[in-house]
């Protein structure tokens, strides 16, 4: 690992980022070291990883924001649940992915109590027990969404803030296909006619 050419390490790191990105730098360092049969991330391994990460950035194959590496062109976060036998620590999940999951849960429940929100987001990422670390990681994400006006608190519940559609989002009635079948699925929260 320490004598492997830097370009080779950087290429391997780019592949890790392509598959798992965005990824926490500690997790990326462990993945890179493991690819060379190294089971412990020592200070020497970390230093070599940092060299590869810097080269990755200088070549435009990724960017680093805080403790996370992002692939080129990263735009929207997807909520990813690790495969069987693979677990990410809550602080190894990018904040954009945590926020995306919070919004999915809020939308699914059409509003939810903050403690239930934390529980459901934790479960979405595969955590069965919700400790202080999960709570401490998710609370600032939720607070940021409230502060930015994406979520609002109403009657001890969090829900999406109402937003007027932008002009570019308006539906052009002439462009709607009149022959297209209507969806049989009810709108979320719609009352049954039964």
């Amino acid at each position: 690992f320490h004598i492997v050419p830097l370009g080779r390490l950087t290429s391997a790191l780019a592949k890790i980022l392509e598959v798992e990105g965005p990824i926490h730098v500690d997790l990326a360092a462990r993945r890179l070291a493991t690819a060379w049969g190294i089971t412990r991330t020592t200070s020497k391994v970390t230093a070599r990883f940092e060299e590869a990460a810097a080269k990755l950035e200088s070549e435009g194959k990724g960017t680093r924001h805080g403790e996370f590496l992002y692939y080129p062109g990263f735009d929207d976060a997807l909520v990813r649940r690790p495969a069987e036998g693979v677990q990410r620590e809550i602080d190894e999940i990018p904040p954009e992915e945590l926020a995306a999951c919070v919004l999915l849960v809020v939308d699914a429940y059409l509003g939810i109590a903050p403690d239930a929100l934390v529980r459901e987001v934790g479960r979405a990422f595969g955590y069965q027990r919700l400790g202080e670390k999960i709570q401490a990681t998710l609370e600032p994400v939720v607070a940021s969404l409230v502060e930015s006006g994406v979520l609002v608190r109403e009657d001890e519940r969090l829900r999406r803030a109402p937003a007027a559609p932008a002009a570019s989002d308006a539906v052009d009635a002439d462009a709607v296909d009149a022959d297209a079948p209507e969806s049989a699925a009810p709108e979320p929260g719609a009352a049954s006619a039964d």
Side-chain angles (χ1 to χ4, degrees):
F1 187 80
H2 305 293
I3 60 171
V4 174
L6 185 58
R8 194 161 168 219
L9 288 176
T10 303
S11 292
L13 182 56
K15 293 229 183 280
I16 291 167
L17 188 56
E18 184 180 308
V19 172
E20 296 191 51
I23 186 170
H24 193 278
V25 292
D26 292 345
L27 184 55
R30 288 195 306 269
R31 297 278 195 263
L32 188 62
T34 300
W36 268 267
I38 298 171
T39 57
R40 285 188 22 176
T41 311
T42 63
S43 59
K44 282 185 174 182
V45 168
T46 301
R48 191 70 169 145
F49 165 79
E50 291 294 344
E51 290 176 41
K55 184 169 174 63
L56 182 88
E57 267 197 285
S58 73
E59 293 178 351
K61 295 179 181 176
T63 56
R64 183 174 181 163
H65 298 286
E67 294 298 305
F68 292 90
L69 289 174
Y70 294 83
Y71 51 84
F74 172 78
D75 191 19
D76 286 327
L78 298 175
V79 177
R80 304 168 294 167
R81 186 172 179 157
E84 189 69 34
V86 176
Q87 186 72 38
R88 293 182 292 177
E89 295 295 323
I90 191 75
D91 57 356
E92 293 176 335
I93 301 172
E96 299 89 349
E97 188 173 349
L98 292 171
C101 189
V102 165
L103 295 176
L104 285 172
V105 171
V106 167
D107 290 348
Y109 283 86
L110 302 175
I112 188 168
D115 58 332
L117 175 62
V118 169
R119 182 181 61 247
E120 293 304 316
V121 170
R123 286 183 179 159
F125 286 111
Y127 301 108
Q128 298 307 311
R129 295 187 184 142
L130 304 179
E132 290 177 21
K133 186 176 182 180
I134 292 174
Q135 185 109 11
T137 302
L138 290 174
E139 284 178 349
V141 172
V142 172
S144 175
L145 290 168
V146 170
E147 288 171 21
S148 66
V150 175
L151 294 179
V152 294
R153 291 183 190 273
E154 280 185 0
D155 301 325
E156 302 298 318
R157 299 175 67 82
L158 294 165
R159 67 172 185 77
R160 275 260 196 176
S168 62
D169 295 335
V171 176
D172 180 2
D174 295 330
V176 175
D177 183 358
D179 295 296
E182 290 187 32
S183 172
E187 288 293 320
S192 172
D194 295 334

